Amino acid sequence: MTLDVSLEPAAPLLARLAGLRERTAALVEHRSAGDPTATDPLRGLYLSEEAVRYLLSPAPAPAELPSLDEDFPDRLAELGARLRLTHLDTAILLIALAPDLDRTFEPLYGYLNDDVGRRRATTGLALDLYGVPAHLAVARARFHPTAPLTALGLLTVEEPERPFLSRSLRVPDRVLSHLIGDDTPSANLTATLREASADGWPHGGSPTDSPPADGSAPDRMPADGPAHGGLSHADPPHGGLSYEDAGADGDFVRRLAGRIAAGPLFAYLRERQEGEGQGCAALALRLAGVGAWRCSVTGEELVPELLREARLSGRALVVEAGGDPAPLVRALGTAAGDVTVLVTAARPYDPQWCDHRDPLVLEVPSRRATALDAWTAALPAGPGFDLAATVAPYHLGGDRLARAARAAQDLAAFDGTPLAAAHVRLAARQQSASGLEQHARRIRPAVDWRDLVLPERPLTELRELASRARHRDRVLGDWRLSAGGGRGRGVLGLFAGESGTGKTLSAEVVAAELGLDLYVVQLSSVVDKYVGETEKNLERIFSEADRTDAVLLFDEADAVFGKRSEVKDAHDRYANLESAYLLQRLEAFNGIALLTTNLRANIDEAFTRRLDLVIDFPFPDEEQRLALWRHGLAHVPSTGDTELRPLARDFELAGGSIRSAVVTAAYLAAARAEPVTAADLLEGARREYRKAGRLVPGAW
């Protein structure tokens, strides 16, 4: 099969090269006319007497060469217009890339360079072929490191140790690939760069609505209104909410889109929740009609390649700054004057990061108000469960919400069942995985309210705690009942009661009710003997918990949240400093934290005042103990003569001890390969009394 070259994207560029070949041939003919070494196969490798006399003779008059300024409808012309390159710049690019597309240029360039081994264009050869004197300052300046060709990463001037006119020119492979129609990013960026998408926003468009494959950007929306056939802020793309319906979110996106449409913008978007800035930027770019690349970067090493990719494709960059944003922001601020770059990060912007040009610093509004609409748009219409109650505990941002929605549908398909709340919760938890496991033990809740045997009052308060966690954004945010002063929207609860009364189990049930994971803080990873280290460890935990949808449990919280004491020595002073830090950090906390203690009086009153709920777990009475025995034996095979009332009456055990007694009885029965008997349960209860150092009741 014969390939029709005329249909190739490189065809116009090859036609342009034909004109360059004609010009090169004319220059070769002019040079060789009076050159006595023109036919010498070793020309350029040595100097004969004739060659020396020829070089010392007056230079021949410049030749009349065919023009290189003819306009061609190719990517080189488009790139030159987009980056505002001069005709000389585009000609230099063409001359430099010619040997990479047509091997016949190599020997011609070798002859014109007076060195058969130098088969690439040089600065002097480029000026000769264009027809400008080599001593012209404005022409030589086109090769300067700050000139557009080199500063934008389109051309590399090699061999700086050589005289200026004999320095080789090279066009990077990625630039050449773009000019012949290949839009694949360079290998260094394939793992980092991806299409920016507004998925996860209620009016973000479909995943398939991406910028044109040829790298061109869609029509932009002018600053004073939408482009012809574009979108207005009152007409949501792809049928979502209108931007007015989105409230502050929509107004922010609309204003950002107008600023992007007005020209290149360098902005720093500070996000409160991970992913909010990415989604907001993607939506604004889509509304402005500007294609974009999205990437996650932790340093400035890839900045030149990222900016070059954006320039070649005519797209903007949405950069998620990881780690310390300072080097990245500084590098982008120095080099990104002609490209729209939106940097998203959680850290506040510091003016010290940039030497001259500060970005436009914006606070991204929380999109919690529209999160339900985003879930509704991402999931099939009409789910058979209460979607609002299911997704209320989650604060996924950016494409993580869309990924969670897709994962939930995949889980439902795997189970062969309709989409259920459990699928959504599991998928959302997977997207909320965090670094908390470095400091806390992760528990995947496998219990529910049926596993709690408690009086009515603590049960009611536990349900209220779950309700507060679910509706805190509406009450504290939409209804503006936050106390202000930088206070967060966290939910804080204290569980107080004797050991074994169900405090930790209740925390697990609350987490299960909310569809979240429970992280039990390991005090050994928090408390440190060195001054200030405990606070640092706690800050890491709180910061990670702020950005993670999870329930944080401080078991045996007395060790960290104990009462402050009178300062008598340095130890008291530093202990009080830890408490003061915790008081401040709890007020700014945005997550869900639960504290347990065996003795409520040990907790500082200042902590108690900042808690939303203090739930007392009483020691179970006889009826509750009977219910606990029955619950513990619900799945255990036992003989029909097992009477539990005497055990509940005679042995005053808490729920944790009753469970241990049942476990002991089960092991005794399993060793005999028989069901659990009343004697086994009696032995288990007696062992719990002995462990506690209590007098064992007599046989009955």
Side-chain angles (χ1 to χ4, degrees), residues 144-318:
H144 194 273
T146 60
L149 286 178
T150 50
L152 301 181
L154 305 178
L155 181 73
T156 302
V157 181
E158 300 177 330
E159 304 170 303
E161 72 282 356
R162 282 183 172 272
F164 177 80
L165 295 179
S166 61
R167 295 173 185 173
S168 297
L169 304 179
R170 183 186 300 271
V171 176
D173 291 344
R174 177 65 193 100
V175 178
L176 179 61
S177 298
H178 169 76
L179 294 177
I180 61 176
D182 183 1
D183 289 313
T184 305
S186 61
N188 290 342
L189 303 180
T190 52
T192 302
L193 215 58
R194 53 197 181 278
E195 294 278 358
S197 168
D199 290 351
W201 284 71
H203 32 263
S206 64
T208 58
D209 186 15
S210 56
D214 62 358
S216 61
D219 292 335
R220 291 191 174 193
M221 182 187 74
D224 58 351
H228 175 68
L231 296 166
S232 70
H233 65 272
D235 300 320
H238 314 290
L241 293 176
S242 71
Y243 293 96
E244 280 84 355
D245 291 338
D249 294 6
D251 181 65
F252 177 85
V253 169
R254 176 170 49 82
R255 288 185 284 116
L256 180 58
R259 176 59 188 85
I260 292 172
L265 169 67
F266 179 37
Y268 185 87
L269 307 181
R270 188 195 176 192
E271 55 187 7
R272 298 292 182 178
Q273 191 74 19
E274 183 180 359
E276 288 181 343
Q278 290 276 335
C280 181
L283 184 57
L285 288 161
R286 187 181 295 277
L287 179 60
V290 178
W293 290 114
R294 173 184 172 183
C295 58
S296 299
V297 185
T298 56
E300 71 275 23
E301 296 81 8
L302 294 178
V303 165
E305 287 190 70
L306 288 171
L307 293 176
R308 184 180 67 192
E309 195 64 45
R311 292 175 179 122
L312 291 177
S313 60
R315 300 182 182 184
L317 278 179
V318 182

Side-chain angles (χ1 to χ4, degrees), residues 393 469 472 490-492 510 514 516 545 550-553 589-594:
R472 54 189 165 138
V491 175
L492 308 174
V510 170
L514 296 172
L516 303 175
V551 176
L552 197 63
L553 176 63
F589 185 54
N590 287 310
I592 304 170
L594 303 177

Side-chain angles (χ1 to χ4, degrees), residues 438-497:
Q438 301 176 14
H439 314 285
R441 176 168 53 91
R442 182 182 186 181
I443 297 177
R444 283 285 178 88
V447 295
D448 56 30
W449 295 106
R450 294 171 297 181
D451 294 296
L452 285 181
V453 180
L454 290 172
E456 187 62 28
R457 181 171 180 177
L459 270 177
T460 302
E461 291 175 334
L462 286 173
R463 293 185 185 276
E464 180 187 343
L465 183 66
S467 177
R468 282 177 177 251
R470 213 177 253 118
H471 302 297
R472 54 189 165 138
D473 293 327
R474 176 182 297 177
V475 173
L476 299 180
D478 299 346
W479 295 352
R480 302 178 65 84
L481 288 178
S482 176
R487 289 178 173 84
R489 297 181 181 179
V491 175
L492 308 174
L494 173 65
F495 297 170

